[in-house]
Amino acid sequence: MAKSVKALIVVVGLGFLGWLVLTYLVVKPFSTDLSVIGEGKPVVVLVHESYMPAGMEAMERLNQVRGAFESDIKFRVADLGTPDGKTFASLHDVFDGAMVLLDGQGEPVRITLVPESIVSLKQEIERLR
């Protein structure tokens, strides 16, 4: 194998490893504990299917803004690959990539897709304050 091909493989491998580290070690993961709903603090729930791109892209956008809201609002994921996630999705009639904003009593304030615009996403979450 030519040296340039080996070098390319190493560079691509290191790039992928760096992406994994940033994705899973630096970014704080979302909890799937939905039991906090209705316990007095508003909750933003992202409905997520692990193999679908819409939910992954929505999660990335939520990660960009949640630091500004975490002191007042909890962020959770309803994983459609789990019984709790399926039950939540069925109860609210939602699908991958949807965002459910719930007040402190657990009542839905708004159900929507996660906006593409970070400004719009912040405005949606502001409804819970």
PDB file of all heavy atoms in Angstrom, residues 3 6 12 25 31 33 52 66 80-82 85 95 98-101 106 108 113 115 118-120 123 128:
ATOM      1  N   LYS A   3       2.423   4.929   0.676  1.00  0.00           N
ATOM      2  CA  LYS A   3       2.526   5.717   1.900  1.00  0.00           C
ATOM      3  C   LYS A   3       1.429   6.778   1.981  1.00  0.00           C
ATOM      4  O   LYS A   3       0.913   7.061   3.057  1.00  0.00           O
ATOM      5  CB  LYS A   3       3.900   6.382   1.990  1.00  0.00           C
ATOM      6  CG  LYS A   3       5.007   5.429   2.316  1.00  0.00           C
ATOM      7  CD  LYS A   3       6.306   6.183   2.507  1.00  0.00           C
ATOM      8  CE  LYS A   3       7.418   5.194   2.842  1.00  0.00           C
ATOM      9  NZ  LYS A   3       8.677   5.894   3.117  1.00  0.00           N
ATOM     10  N   LYS A   6      -1.779   5.164   3.224  1.00  0.00           N
ATOM     11  CA  LYS A   6      -1.687   4.887   4.659  1.00  0.00           C
ATOM     12  C   LYS A   6      -1.846   6.177   5.461  1.00  0.00           C
ATOM     13  O   LYS A   6      -2.551   6.207   6.469  1.00  0.00           O
ATOM     14  CB  LYS A   6      -0.349   4.227   4.990  1.00  0.00           C
ATOM     15  CG  LYS A   6      -0.240   2.793   4.533  1.00  0.00           C
ATOM     16  CD  LYS A   6       1.102   2.210   4.912  1.00  0.00           C
ATOM     17  CE  LYS A   6       1.244   0.795   4.387  1.00  0.00           C
ATOM     18  NZ  LYS A   6       2.559   0.219   4.702  1.00  0.00           N
ATOM     19  N   VAL A  12      -7.866  10.226   8.406  1.00  0.00           N
ATOM     20  CA  VAL A  12      -9.315  10.021   8.495  1.00  0.00           C
ATOM     21  C   VAL A  12      -9.670   9.352   9.815  1.00  0.00           C
ATOM     22  O   VAL A  12     -10.630   9.745  10.489  1.00  0.00           O
ATOM     23  CB  VAL A  12      -9.831   9.199   7.285  1.00  0.00           C
ATOM     24  CG1 VAL A  12     -11.267   8.761   7.495  1.00  0.00           C
ATOM     25  CG2 VAL A  12      -9.691  10.010   6.006  1.00  0.00           C
ATOM     26  N   LEU A  25     -17.837  12.863  24.829  1.00  0.00           N
ATOM     27  CA  LEU A  25     -17.172  13.196  26.078  1.00  0.00           C
ATOM     28  C   LEU A  25     -17.308  14.667  26.444  1.00  0.00           C
ATOM     29  O   LEU A  25     -17.415  15.008  27.606  1.00  0.00           O
ATOM     30  CB  LEU A  25     -15.691  12.804  26.007  1.00  0.00           C
ATOM     31  CG  LEU A  25     -15.416  11.320  25.829  1.00  0.00           C
ATOM     32  CD1 LEU A  25     -13.920  11.063  25.769  1.00  0.00           C
ATOM     33  CD2 LEU A  25     -16.040  10.505  26.953  1.00  0.00           C
ATOM     34  N   SER A  31     -30.509  13.386  29.471  1.00  0.00           N
ATOM     35  CA  SER A  31     -31.060  12.308  30.280  1.00  0.00           C
ATOM     36  C   SER A  31     -32.344  11.792  29.638  1.00  0.00           C
ATOM     37  O   SER A  31     -33.084  12.554  29.011  1.00  0.00           O
ATOM     38  CB  SER A  31     -31.364  12.817  31.691  1.00  0.00           C
ATOM     39  OG  SER A  31     -32.058  11.833  32.434  1.00  0.00           O
ATOM     40  N   ASP A  33     -34.544  10.293  31.676  1.00  0.00           N
ATOM     41  CA  ASP A  33     -35.398  10.163  32.854  1.00  0.00           C
ATOM     42  C   ASP A  33     -36.589  11.109  32.736  1.00  0.00           C
ATOM     43  O   ASP A  33     -36.491  12.296  33.024  1.00  0.00           O
ATOM     44  CB  ASP A  33     -34.596  10.465  34.116  1.00  0.00           C
ATOM     45  CG  ASP A  33     -35.446  10.413  35.372  1.00  0.00           C
ATOM     46  OD1 ASP A  33     -36.593   9.891  35.320  1.00  0.00           O
ATOM     47  OD2 ASP A  33     -34.971  10.894  36.419  1.00  0.00           O
ATOM     48  N   MET A  52     -32.370   7.928  13.277  1.00  0.00           N
ATOM     49  CA  MET A  52     -32.980   8.900  12.374  1.00  0.00           C
ATOM     50  C   MET A  52     -32.244  10.238  12.448  1.00  0.00           C
ATOM     51  O   MET A  52     -31.980  10.747  13.533  1.00  0.00           O
ATOM     52  CB  MET A  52     -34.447   9.111  12.732  1.00  0.00           C
ATOM     53  CG  MET A  52     -35.297   7.854  12.590  1.00  0.00           C
ATOM     54  SD  MET A  52     -35.447   7.292  10.898  1.00  0.00           S
ATOM     55  CE  MET A  52     -36.545   8.520  10.251  1.00  0.00           C
ATOM     56  N   ARG A  66     -29.246  24.868  25.414  1.00  0.00           N
ATOM     57  CA  ARG A  66     -29.715  24.436  26.730  1.00  0.00           C
ATOM     58  C   ARG A  66     -28.929  25.018  27.891  1.00  0.00           C
ATOM     59  O   ARG A  66     -29.474  25.204  28.975  1.00  0.00           O
ATOM     60  CB  ARG A  66     -29.823  22.921  26.823  1.00  0.00           C
ATOM     61  CG  ARG A  66     -28.537  22.175  26.938  1.00  0.00           C
ATOM     62  CD  ARG A  66     -28.844  20.705  27.147  1.00  0.00           C
ATOM     63  NE  ARG A  66     -27.648  19.921  26.969  1.00  0.00           N
ATOM     64  CZ  ARG A  66     -27.501  18.713  27.436  1.00  0.00           C
ATOM     65  NH1 ARG A  66     -28.494  18.138  28.097  1.00  0.00           N
ATOM     66  NH2 ARG A  66     -26.387  18.052  27.246  1.00  0.00           N
ATOM     67  N   LEU A  80     -37.305   6.760  21.520  1.00  0.00           N
ATOM     68  CA  LEU A  80     -38.328   5.882  20.951  1.00  0.00           C
ATOM     69  C   LEU A  80     -37.924   4.408  20.958  1.00  0.00           C
ATOM     70  O   LEU A  80     -38.753   3.551  20.684  1.00  0.00           O
ATOM     71  CB  LEU A  80     -38.673   6.331  19.538  1.00  0.00           C
ATOM     72  CG  LEU A  80     -39.363   7.693  19.462  1.00  0.00           C
ATOM     73  CD1 LEU A  80     -39.529   8.139  18.017  1.00  0.00           C
ATOM     74  CD2 LEU A  80     -40.703   7.655  20.171  1.00  0.00           C
ATOM     75  N   GLY A  81     -36.683   4.137  21.316  1.00  0.00           N
ATOM     76  CA  GLY A  81     -36.226   2.753  21.435  1.00  0.00           C
ATOM     77  C   GLY A  81     -36.462   2.167  22.817  1.00  0.00           C
ATOM     78  O   GLY A  81     -36.064   1.047  23.098  1.00  0.00           O
ATOM     79  N   THR A  82     -37.122   2.936  23.694  1.00  0.00           N
ATOM     80  CA  THR A  82     -37.402   2.456  25.051  1.00  0.00           C
ATOM     81  C   THR A  82     -38.906   2.490  25.309  1.00  0.00           C
ATOM     82  O   THR A  82     -39.632   3.272  24.683  1.00  0.00           O
ATOM     83  CB  THR A  82     -36.711   3.352  26.104  1.00  0.00           C
ATOM     84  OG1 THR A  82     -37.306   4.657  26.083  1.00  0.00           O
ATOM     85  CG2 THR A  82     -35.207   3.438  25.866  1.00  0.00           C
ATOM     86  N   GLY A  85     -40.035   6.035  26.346  1.00  0.00           N
ATOM     87  CA  GLY A  85     -40.043   6.939  25.199  1.00  0.00           C
ATOM     88  C   GLY A  85     -41.230   6.694  24.289  1.00  0.00           C
ATOM     89  O   GLY A  85     -41.878   7.639  23.817  1.00  0.00           O
ATOM     90  N   PHE A  95     -43.458  12.306  17.053  1.00  0.00           N
ATOM     91  CA  PHE A  95     -42.539  11.436  16.334  1.00  0.00           C
ATOM     92  C   PHE A  95     -41.124  11.985  16.444  1.00  0.00           C
ATOM     93  O   PHE A  95     -40.902  13.050  17.041  1.00  0.00           O
ATOM     94  CB  PHE A  95     -42.965  11.324  14.868  1.00  0.00           C
ATOM     95  CG  PHE A  95     -43.230  12.669  14.252  1.00  0.00           C
ATOM     96  CD1 PHE A  95     -42.209  13.426  13.699  1.00  0.00           C
ATOM     97  CD2 PHE A  95     -44.508  13.210  14.268  1.00  0.00           C
ATOM     98  CE1 PHE A  95     -42.450  14.670  13.164  1.00  0.00           C
ATOM     99  CE2 PHE A  95     -44.758  14.465  13.726  1.00  0.00           C
ATOM    100  CZ  PHE A  95     -43.717  15.194  13.168  1.00  0.00           C
ATOM    101  N   ALA A  98     -39.538  15.789  17.192  1.00  0.00           N
ATOM    102  CA  ALA A  98     -40.505  16.692  17.808  1.00  0.00           C
ATOM    103  C   ALA A  98     -39.996  17.146  19.174  1.00  0.00           C
ATOM    104  O   ALA A  98     -39.228  16.448  19.831  1.00  0.00           O
ATOM    105  CB  ALA A  98     -41.858  16.011  17.958  1.00  0.00           C
ATOM    106  N   MET A  99     -40.454  18.318  19.581  1.00  0.00           N
ATOM    107  CA  MET A  99     -40.096  18.880  20.873  1.00  0.00           C
ATOM    108  C   MET A  99     -41.397  19.179  21.609  1.00  0.00           C
ATOM    109  O   MET A  99     -42.299  19.824  21.067  1.00  0.00           O
ATOM    110  CB  MET A  99     -39.285  20.163  20.661  1.00  0.00           C
ATOM    111  CG  MET A  99     -38.925  20.900  21.919  1.00  0.00           C
ATOM    112  SD  MET A  99     -37.840  22.338  21.610  1.00  0.00           S
ATOM    113  CE  MET A  99     -38.939  23.453  20.749  1.00  0.00           C
ATOM    114  N   VAL A 100     -41.472  18.696  22.848  1.00  0.00           N
ATOM    115  CA  VAL A 100     -42.650  18.937  23.671  1.00  0.00           C
ATOM    116  C   VAL A 100     -42.223  19.821  24.839  1.00  0.00           C
ATOM    117  O   VAL A 100     -41.312  19.471  25.588  1.00  0.00           O
ATOM    118  CB  VAL A 100     -43.257  17.618  24.190  1.00  0.00           C
ATOM    119  CG1 VAL A 100     -44.503  17.889  25.023  1.00  0.00           C
ATOM    120  CG2 VAL A 100     -43.573  16.669  23.031  1.00  0.00           C
ATOM    121  N   LEU A 101     -42.863  20.973  24.959  1.00  0.00           N
ATOM    122  CA  LEU A 101     -42.594  21.900  26.052  1.00  0.00           C
ATOM    123  C   LEU A 101     -43.672  21.688  27.100  1.00  0.00           C
ATOM    124  O   LEU A 101     -44.863  21.839  26.809  1.00  0.00           O
ATOM    125  CB  LEU A 101     -42.624  23.347  25.549  1.00  0.00           C
ATOM    126  CG  LEU A 101     -41.732  23.670  24.355  1.00  0.00           C
ATOM    127  CD1 LEU A 101     -41.994  25.083  23.855  1.00  0.00           C
ATOM    128  CD2 LEU A 101     -40.278  23.503  24.706  1.00  0.00           C
ATOM    129  N   GLY A 106     -46.483  19.466  34.300  1.00  0.00           N
ATOM    130  CA  GLY A 106     -46.438  18.397  33.308  1.00  0.00           C
ATOM    131  C   GLY A 106     -47.432  18.557  32.177  1.00  0.00           C
ATOM    132  O   GLY A 106     -47.601  17.656  31.356  1.00  0.00           O
ATOM    133  N   PRO A 108     -48.648  20.016  28.619  1.00  0.00           N
ATOM    134  CA  PRO A 108     -48.008  20.536  27.407  1.00  0.00           C
ATOM    135  C   PRO A 108     -48.347  22.005  27.167  1.00  0.00           C
ATOM    136  O   PRO A 108     -49.506  22.394  27.229  1.00  0.00           O
ATOM    137  CB  PRO A 108     -48.582  19.677  26.285  1.00  0.00           C
ATOM    138  CG  PRO A 108     -49.214  18.508  26.948  1.00  0.00           C
ATOM    139  CD  PRO A 108     -49.567  18.922  28.340  1.00  0.00           C
ATOM    140  N   LEU A 113     -41.839  20.969  16.041  1.00  0.00           N
ATOM    141  CA  LEU A 113     -40.527  20.487  15.636  1.00  0.00           C
ATOM    142  C   LEU A 113     -39.492  21.452  16.195  1.00  0.00           C
ATOM    143  O   LEU A 113     -39.787  22.621  16.426  1.00  0.00           O
ATOM    144  CB  LEU A 113     -40.418  20.434  14.115  1.00  0.00           C
ATOM    145  CG  LEU A 113     -41.312  19.408  13.421  1.00  0.00           C
ATOM    146  CD1 LEU A 113     -41.181  19.539  11.904  1.00  0.00           C
ATOM    147  CD2 LEU A 113     -40.944  17.997  13.860  1.00  0.00           C
ATOM    148  N   PRO A 115     -37.033  24.109  15.981  1.00  0.00           N
ATOM    149  CA  PRO A 115     -36.758  25.064  14.905  1.00  0.00           C
ATOM    150  C   PRO A 115     -35.320  24.973  14.389  1.00  0.00           C
ATOM    151  O   PRO A 115     -34.403  24.685  15.148  1.00  0.00           O
ATOM    152  CB  PRO A 115     -36.998  26.429  15.569  1.00  0.00           C
ATOM    153  CG  PRO A 115     -37.867  26.139  16.738  1.00  0.00           C
ATOM    154  CD  PRO A 115     -37.488  24.765  17.199  1.00  0.00           C
ATOM    155  N   ILE A 118     -31.575  29.048  15.628  1.00  0.00           N
ATOM    156  CA  ILE A 118     -31.279  29.078  17.057  1.00  0.00           C
ATOM    157  C   ILE A 118     -32.094  30.179  17.742  1.00  0.00           C
ATOM    158  O   ILE A 118     -32.589  29.988  18.853  1.00  0.00           O
ATOM    159  CB  ILE A 118     -29.760  29.270  17.293  1.00  0.00           C
ATOM    160  CG1 ILE A 118     -28.977  28.065  16.740  1.00  0.00           C
ATOM    161  CG2 ILE A 118     -29.455  29.478  18.765  1.00  0.00           C
ATOM    162  CD1 ILE A 118     -29.353  26.719  17.331  1.00  0.00           C
ATOM    163  N   VAL A 119     -32.272  31.303  17.088  1.00  0.00           N
ATOM    164  CA  VAL A 119     -33.071  32.401  17.641  1.00  0.00           C
ATOM    165  C   VAL A 119     -34.509  31.926  17.861  1.00  0.00           C
ATOM    166  O   VAL A 119     -35.092  32.146  18.927  1.00  0.00           O
ATOM    167  CB  VAL A 119     -33.025  33.644  16.720  1.00  0.00           C
ATOM    168  CG1 VAL A 119     -34.018  34.701  17.183  1.00  0.00           C
ATOM    169  CG2 VAL A 119     -31.617  34.213  16.662  1.00  0.00           C
ATOM    170  N   SER A 120     -35.086  31.249  16.881  1.00  0.00           N
ATOM    171  CA  SER A 120     -36.451  30.734  17.009  1.00  0.00           C
ATOM    172  C   SER A 120     -36.539  29.668  18.093  1.00  0.00           C
ATOM    173  O   SER A 120     -37.526  29.620  18.845  1.00  0.00           O
ATOM    174  CB  SER A 120     -36.931  30.150  15.681  1.00  0.00           C
ATOM    175  OG  SER A 120     -36.996  31.153  14.700  1.00  0.00           O
ATOM    176  N   GLN A 123     -36.666  31.333  21.394  1.00  0.00           N
ATOM    177  CA  GLN A 123     -37.980  31.934  21.604  1.00  0.00           C
ATOM    178  C   GLN A 123     -39.003  30.886  22.023  1.00  0.00           C
ATOM    179  O   GLN A 123     -39.848  31.143  22.889  1.00  0.00           O
ATOM    180  CB  GLN A 123     -38.440  32.658  20.341  1.00  0.00           C
ATOM    181  CG  GLN A 123     -37.665  33.912  20.063  1.00  0.00           C
ATOM    182  CD  GLN A 123     -37.966  34.524  18.698  1.00  0.00           C
ATOM    183  OE1 GLN A 123     -38.516  33.867  17.817  1.00  0.00           O
ATOM    184  NE2 GLN A 123     -37.586  35.781  18.526  1.00  0.00           N
ATOM    185  N   LEU A 128     -41.569  28.812  28.359  1.00  0.00           N
ATOM    186  CA  LEU A 128     -41.670  28.084  29.630  1.00  0.00           C
ATOM    187  C   LEU A 128     -41.249  28.923  30.839  1.00  0.00           C
ATOM    188  O   LEU A 128     -41.447  28.507  31.965  1.00  0.00           O
ATOM    189  CB  LEU A 128     -40.813  26.820  29.573  1.00  0.00           C
ATOM    190  CG  LEU A 128     -41.303  25.752  28.603  1.00  0.00           C
ATOM    191  CD1 LEU A 128     -40.313  24.613  28.531  1.00  0.00           C
ATOM    192  CD2 LEU A 128     -42.676  25.250  29.006  1.00  0.00           C
TER     193      LEU A 128
END
